[in-house]
Amino acid sequence: MTYREGRCDANCAFCPQARESTSSSDRLSRISWPDFAYPEVKAEYSVLPSFSRICIQSLNYPNVIDDVLFLVQEIRSVTDTPLSVSIHPLTKSNLQKLRDAGVTNIGIAFDACTQELFDKVKGKSRGSSYRWGLHEKALNDALDVFGIGRVTTHLMIGLGETEAEAVEFLFKMKELGVSVGLFAFTAIRGTALEKGEGPDLGSYRRVQVIRHLLHRDAIEWNDLHFINEEVRLKPPESELREYLSSGVAFQVSGCAGCNRPFYNERPSGTMYNFPCPLSEEEVQISINESGLWP
Ligand code: SF4
């Protein structure tokens, strides 16, 4: 994660890095990111090739693109490991600069699944320059520059959306060619949403299932129906269970190779996103938690 004195210029209601947050400034979600001078970081670069993926998470501040480009060039001088950048909406020419420097995947986070919710938690109502339409444009530009399969967004469940809205968002992103990394809302002290609660686990499991089946091209919109805003599936249970039997649906999602351990969950708490392959028993429990086939 990039570092600056102070906080991010954006003001996302759930984020410890937000401009108006009073959280400990080394946090992102529930993880602490201690700051190191760059030479200390570079001294450890020999470990980079052992990772499946490297990800640079950037805050929003003037000229952050220069910091990110510097890091990308430095990393590329030692390894060709897949390299993701998670960043705010950029101009197409800056997206191209990242691509030319060796970034393989780009993430631009919507976080909220409807325009109204977006404005409320990270846009206009938060005094931030983020706008739904600008995020949409940036994702489209990113698709032009990086191509389908290399552009990701984030969807956070538990911000006040309905399950149906979350599922509609997944289909919209699928149609655009953008893959979705799922996050469970995590209340962090000092943020505007510090008193919030994590999402209902059954609902989270169903959204995970839909995300996974969509990613595998196993369902279409007509395969869904909704009961009181909760999603249900029409195709035969046996067929869909087969797609879920690997447990991948319930693991951390986003770019290939990312496991983001315990980002939203305490190791002893509700395991919204498993950071490693699930045991057969965990797969069965997770499918049951979805409540799709009582
Ligand atoms: S842009 Fe990212 S780092 Fe900045 S406040 Fe929003 S979520 Fe936090």
Side-chain angles (χ1 to χ4, degrees):
M1 182 163 78
T2 57
Y3 174 83
R4 81 183 296 204
E5 286 280 346
R7 295 174 185 275
C8 184
D9 282 350
N11 201 25
C12 305
F14 49 81
C15 181
Q17 293 295 326
R19 202 178 63 230
E20 293 175 355
S21 147
T22 56
S23 309
S24 161
S25 65
D26 65 354
R27 297 231 158 215
L28 194 64
S29 191
R30 57 177 298 282
I31 305 295
S32 71
W33 302 64
D35 52 290
F36 291 95
Y38 181 66
E40 286 180 74
V41 178
K42 187 172 181 175
E44 304 298 328
Y45 273 7
S46 58
V47 303
L48 288 182
S50 66
F51 289 111
S52 303
R53 176 169 300 277
I54 300 159
C55 181
I56 301 174
Q57 168 73 53
S58 77
L59 304 189
N60 188 341
Y61 56 86
N63 301 326
V64 65
I65 185 73
D66 297 335
D67 289 349
V68 173
L69 278 168
F70 170 77
L71 290 171
V72 171
Q73 283 152 3
E74 291 275 300
I75 291 167
R76 276 292 169 254
S77 70
V78 294
T79 180
D80 58 4
T81 302
L83 174 52
S84 300
V85 169
S86 177
I87 198 161
H88 58 277
L90 297 175
T91 60
K92 206 164 183 179
S93 74
N94 277 336
L95 288 166
Q96 191 63 54
K97 280 185 198 164
L98 289 177
R99 180 86 175 108
D100 293 346
V103 173
T104 56
N105 300 67
I106 188 104
I108 300 169
F110 265 114
D111 295 311
C113 64
T114 68
Q115 186 162 353
E116 194 188 358
L117 204 49
F118 180 96
D119 284 342
K120 192 168 151 198
V121 298
K122 58 187 284 172
K124 209 170 177 179
S125 308
R126 297 289 305 158
S128 168
S129 61
Y130 290 160
R131 296 291 180 271
W132 179 270
L134 294 177
H135 269 61
E136 227 168 15
K137 178 177 179 334
L139 281 169
N140 276 308
D141 287 347
L143 284 165
D144 287 347
V145 173
F146 286 85
I148 287 181
R150 294 179 178 274
V151 179
T152 308
T153 193
H154 295 164
L155 170 60
M156 193 177 289
I157 302 297
L159 289 175
E161 72 291 326
T162 66
E163 199 173 303
E165 286 169 338
V167 169
E168 275 172 37
F169 178 86
L170 291 176
F171 273 80
K172 183 178 157 86
M173 290 302 116
K174 171 74 179 172
E175 201 180 314
L176 263 184
V178 173
S179 50
V180 178
L182 278 183
F183 291 73
F185 168 74
T186 305
I188 308 291
R189 197 180 309 150
T191 63
L193 295 178
E194 65 178 2
K195 293 201 164 64
E197 284 181 11
D200 171 75
L201 184 60
S203 184
Y204 196 76
R205 290 283 182 251
R206 288 189 289 279
V207 175
Q208 284 178 310
V209 166
I210 300 297
R211 193 208 74 89
H212 181 73
L213 294 175
L214 256 182
H215 191 62
R216 295 281 180 281
D217 292 318
I219 49 165
E220 296 176 350
W221 182 257
N222 289 339
D223 292 324
L224 310 184
H225 66 108
F226 292 89
I227 303 173
N228 300 329
E229 305 271 1
E230 282 187 11
V231 68
R232 293 290 182 272
L233 289 159
K234 293 180 197 165
E237 177 180 340
S238 55
E239 190 186 302
L240 296 180
R241 273 186 183 267
E242 180 116 12
Y243 278 105
L244 301 175
S245 60
S246 65
V248 172
F250 309 109
Q251 286 182 236
V252 166
S253 53
C255 302
C258 174
N259 60 355
R260 222 168 41 234
F262 309 120
Y263 208 69
N264 297 155
E265 37 296 284
R266 291 171 199 276
S268 59
T270 305
M271 202 52 56
Y272 289 104
N273 306 291
F274 287 80
C276 54
L278 285 72
S279 67
E280 270 182 40
E281 192 191 356
E282 286 168 332
V283 174
Q284 288 316 313
I285 292 171
S286 299
I287 292 175
N288 292 344
E289 284 167 343
S290 78
L292 283 168
W293 301 290

